[in-house]
Amino acid sequence: MKTLTKYHYDYPRPALTTDCVIFGFDGGELKLLLIEREKKPFKNRWALPGGFVFIEEATEDCAKRILLEKAGIKNVFIEQLYTFSDVKRDPRERIISVSYFALVNKHQYELIAGRDTIKAEWFELSKLPKLAFDHRKIVKTAIQRLRGKVSYQPIGFELLSEKFTLTQLQALYESILEIDIDKRNFRKKILGMGLLQPLEEKEKNVAHKAARYYSFDKKAYKELTQKGFHFEL
Amino acid sequence: MKTLTKYHYDYPRPALTTDCVIFGFDGGELKLLLIEREKKPFKNRWALPGGFVFIEEATEDCAKRILLEKAGIKNVFIEQLYTFSDVKRDPRERIISVSYFALVNKHQYELIAGRDTIKAEWFELSKLPKLAFDHRKIVKTAIQRLRGKVSYQPIGFELLSEKFTLTQLQALYESILEIDIDKRNFRKKILGMGLLQPLEEKEKNVAHKAARYYSFDKKAYKELTQKGFHFEL
DNA sequence: GCATCATAGTGTAATTATTACACTAAAAGC
DNA sequence: GCTTTTAGTGTAATAATTACACTATGATGC
C-alpha cells in the first residue's frame, strides 16, 4: 500500500475505535452486557466493550473481533449503529467511535461472559450503572434504533433461542417496546404472517399446559420479501 | 491535548473522510448533486462531494463544511448515513468514509451549484453516471434510507420550498417511493394529520385552476409528537 | 364573452385491519 | 381428583384503507 503523504493528506488523524452495544433477553427485562474498565481513564467504570480499529480491518470486523475477545460472543446479529465523533468525547485525545449493536441469545453466552480476566456483567436497561465516556449516549441511540427496527424487521428473533414459544416472543416485544400486547391479537397477527414454523416439540416440566415451540422460518421470510411482503408488527 | 502514544495506541491510523449524498427535487424525478473530480484517482469521474475530516472537527461539521465549500449549500437538513470502511474502498490507502445525506430545496441552490472552478451537476437517479470509489454503494444506501424514512418522518418537506401545493407534495412522495398514489386518499390522510397550514396564497399564471399553497407546521408537529403522535404516510 | 383545456378539489361505499374482550384445555403438584 | 397456572382460541364493534368519478376554477384562444 502506498504511503499517505503522497496523496495530499498528512494532517494529524483522529484515532478510531468501535464500541459494541450488546443486547440480551432472558424472559424478563431487556439487558445489556457491560465490562469494567481496567485502565485509566474511567478506571473501574462500566463501559461498552470496545477497541481500536486496525489499519487493515473493516470496522464491522473490528466489532466482531471485540465481541469475541471481550465477551466471548461470535456468530450473532450485528449492525452498524452510528459514528460518534464529538471532539471531546474522549479525554485523552480525539477518538472517533464507530459503534455497533449486537443481539445475542443470552442463555447461550451466560457462561462465557465474566470469564477470564475481563469482568463482564449483564445489566437491566432500567438499572444501568454510570458509564465511561459518552457510552450512555451510545446506549440511548442503540435502544432507540432497536425499538424503531423491531416492529418492521424480524430481528427480535435474534434475541431468542432457535425454538421459542409465542408467549416468550410476546414478552420480548413487550419488553423492548415497553407496552402491553393483547395475547390473541398478537398471535393472530404473527401467525398470520406465515413466518413461524410450528414444531412438534412442546415445553416440558411446566406446571401448566405445555406451550408449543415455534421457529422463525428464514426461508419463508426471504421468499415473501422478494414478493413484496414487508414485516410489520 | 495529550499525545496519543502515551495511551497505548500508536498503530497506523486510517484516514477519515466524509462524503455527502445531496438530494434535490424539482417536480419531476428525484435528483442527486455530483461533482467532477479534478485529481487522481478517478480523475474526471463524477463523485459525491467529500473531503478529509480535520483533527478537531466533528464529522457532521465536516459534512456541513463540504456542503458549503463544494456545493455552496448551507442550512439544510443533514443526517449521518453510514460509515463505509472496506479496506480497499480507496485505491490510494486505507480511507474510511463517514457519509451523510442532505435534503435541499433544489431551486434555492440551482444557481450556486456549478459556479467557480468546481464542476457540479444535478443527475436524475435513473441516469447516474459512473461514480468514483464506492460511491455507487453509498448512493444506494442513501436512497434506501430516504425511502425508508420518508414514510414515518416528515423529512420530505425539506426537499420542497417553504410554500408548496398538495400536488407537489404528492409528486414528491410518488417520486421517492416510485409508486402511484390516489389523489383523494393522499389529501385526506395528509390533511387529517393537522400538520399542514393552508395559506391564503395560490398559484399564479397557471393555465388551470390555481392550487392553494400550504406550509409545514413545525410547531404543530412538535406538539403532536410530544403527545405521542407519530407521523405515518 | 364564450368555449376549451388543464388541473384543483371533493364524497361515499366496500373492504380490510385493528381492537377489545372471556372462556375452555392441559400439565404438574398436592 | 382437585387446584393452580398458563396455553390456546372466536367474535363483534370500530377504525383505517382502498377504489373510484365528478364538479370547480383560472387561463387561453377564437
Side-chain angles (χ1 to χ4, degrees):
Chain A
M1 212 167 230
K2 292 162 193 169
T3 65
L4 185 60
T5 47
K6 195 169 170 194
Y7 289 102
H8 72 268
Y9 188 67
D10 53 3
Y11 306 116
R13 302 170 173 201
L16 255 201
T17 63
T18 73
D19 290 299
C20 298
V21 183
I22 306 168
F23 289 105
F25 181 71
D26 59 7
E29 199 175 333
L30 202 59
K31 292 196 168 125
L32 219 60
L33 187 66
L34 299 173
I35 63 172
E36 199 181 64
R37 283 185 62 81
E38 297 172 307
K39 296 179 199 158
K40 288 201 288 182
F42 298 106
K43 195 177 171 184
N44 298 324
R45 271 276 184 90
W46 292 96
L48 298 172
F52 289 98
V53 178
F54 296 155
I55 188 66
E56 294 229 335
E57 178 184 54
T59 52
E60 183 164 325
D61 292 332
C62 176
K64 285 178 181 165
R65 178 171 57 78
I66 282 159
L67 242 43
L68 186 59
E69 286 177 6
K70 302 219 167 169
I73 289 170
K74 61 181 168 184
N75 297 327
V76 296
F77 174 92
I78 184 176
E79 182 178 302
Q80 194 185 107
L81 176 62
Y82 196 79
T83 297
F84 294 86
S85 73
D86 281 5
V87 172
K88 300 203 179 289
R89 59 175 294 285
D90 192 305
R92 292 167 290 187
E93 60 148 336
R94 181 77 199 285
I95 300 184
I96 288 176
S97 168
V98 182
S99 61
Y100 282 78
F101 78 98
L103 304 179
V104 317
N105 173 1
K106 190 172 164 295
H107 295 297
Q108 205 174 329
Y109 291 100
E110 209 133 33
L111 300 171
I112 301 170
R115 88 253 123 85
D116 296 351
T117 50
I118 295 172
K119 197 168 153 194
E121 223 170 274
W122 289 100
F123 288 86
E124 294 195 352
L125 284 192
S126 62
K127 289 170 191 161
L128 292 184
K130 243 187 171 186
L131 299 184
F133 306 106
D134 59 351
H135 287 188
R136 187 93 209 188
K137 190 176 169 187
I138 299 178
V139 167
K140 208 175 154 191
T141 306
I143 294 169
Q144 280 176 354
R145 175 76 64 87
L146 179 61
R147 289 221 175 106
K149 267 211 151 162
V150 88
S151 296
Y152 68 89
Q153 271 183 238
I155 56 173
F157 303 101
E158 307 286 342
L159 288 160
L160 299 173
S161 302
E162 198 68 29
K163 298 165 186 181
F164 50 84
T165 68
L166 295 180
T167 301
Q168 286 168 352
L169 186 62
Q170 181 178 341
L172 171 66
Y173 276 97
E174 289 181 324
S175 171
I176 293 175
L177 299 173
E178 291 190 311
I179 53 170
D180 288 333
I181 303 175
D182 179 273
K183 180 162 64 155
R184 281 163 291 190
N185 295 339
F186 177 77
R187 285 166 184 240
K188 207 187 308 172
K189 189 152 192 182
I190 198 88
L191 289 175
M193 289 185 194
L195 296 176
L196 297 189
Q197 195 129 53
L199 306 177
E200 288 307 313
E201 195 180 347
K202 293 187 178 186
E203 282 181 320
K204 277 171 195 150
N205 302 317
V206 286
H208 53 79
K209 179 169 175 180
R212 177 178 297 281
Y213 282 112
Y214 289 81
S215 67
F216 177 68
D217 190 341
K218 282 181 196 170
K219 196 163 150 250
Y221 176 62
K222 219 173 183 175
E223 283 172 14
L224 285 168
T225 299
Q226 282 170 349
K227 286 178 197 159
F229 165 84
H230 105 130
F231 181 89
E232 176 130 32
L233 206 97
Chain B
M1 214 167 229
K2 292 162 193 169
T3 65
L4 184 61
T5 47
K6 195 169 170 192
Y7 289 102
H8 71 268
Y9 188 66
D10 52 4
Y11 306 116
R13 301 169 175 204
L16 255 202
T17 63
T18 72
D19 290 300
C20 298
V21 183
I22 306 168
F23 290 105
F25 181 71
D26 59 8
E29 199 175 333
L30 203 58
K31 290 193 169 131
L32 219 60
L33 188 66
L34 298 174
I35 63 172
E36 200 182 63
R37 283 185 61 81
E38 297 172 307
K39 294 178 199 160
K40 288 202 289 186
F42 299 106
K43 195 176 172 182
N44 298 325
R45 272 274 184 90
W46 293 96
L48 298 172
F52 289 98
V53 177
F54 296 155
I55 189 66
E56 294 228 335
E57 178 184 55
T59 52
E60 182 164 327
D61 292 332
C62 176
K64 285 178 182 164
R65 178 171 57 77
I66 282 159
L67 242 43
L68 186 59
E69 287 177 4
K70 302 220 167 168
I73 289 170
K74 60 180 169 184
N75 296 326
V76 296
F77 174 92
I78 184 177
E79 182 179 301
Q80 194 184 108
L81 176 63
Y82 196 79
T83 297
F84 293 86
S85 73
D86 280 5
V87 172
K88 301 204 178 289
R89 59 175 295 284
D90 193 305
R92 292 167 289 187
E93 59 149 339
R94 182 78 198 285
I95 301 184
I96 288 176
S97 167
V98 182
S99 62
Y100 282 78
F101 77 98
L103 303 179
V104 318
N105 173 1
K106 189 171 164 294
H107 295 296
Q108 203 173 330
Y109 291 100
E110 209 134 31
L111 300 171
I112 300 170
R115 89 254 122 84
D116 295 351
T117 50
I118 295 172
K119 196 167 152 195
E121 223 170 273
W122 289 100
F123 288 86
E124 294 196 351
L125 285 193
S126 62
K127 289 169 191 161
L128 292 183
K130 246 190 168 184
L131 299 184
F133 305 106
D134 59 350
H135 288 187
R136 188 93 207 188
K137 191 175 168 188
I138 298 178
V139 167
K140 207 174 155 191
T141 307
I143 294 169
Q144 280 176 354
R145 174 77 63 87
L146 180 61
R147 289 221 175 107
K149 267 212 150 160
V150 88
S151 296
Y152 68 88
Q153 270 182 237
I155 57 173
F157 303 101
E158 306 287 343
L159 288 161
L160 299 173
S161 302
E162 198 69 29
K163 297 164 185 181
F164 51 84
T165 67
L166 294 181
T167 301
Q168 286 168 353
L169 186 62
Q170 181 179 339
L172 171 66
Y173 276 97
E174 290 181 323
S175 171
I176 293 176
L177 299 173
E178 291 189 313
I179 53 169
D180 288 333
I181 303 175
D182 179 273
K183 180 161 66 154
R184 280 162 292 190
N185 295 340
F186 178 77
R187 285 165 184 240
K188 207 188 307 172
K189 189 152 192 184
I190 197 89
L191 288 175
M193 289 185 194
L195 296 176
L196 297 190
Q197 195 129 51
L199 307 177
E200 288 307 313
E201 196 181 345
K202 293 187 179 185
E203 282 181 319
K204 275 171 197 152
N205 303 316
V206 286
H208 52 78
K209 179 170 175 181
R212 177 178 296 282
Y213 282 113
Y214 289 81
S215 67
F216 177 69
D217 190 340
K218 282 181 195 171
K219 197 163 150 250
Y221 176 62
K222 219 173 182 177
E223 282 172 15
L224 285 168
T225 299
Q226 282 170 350
K227 285 178 198 159
F229 164 84
H230 105 128
F231 181 89
E232 176 130 32
L233 205 97

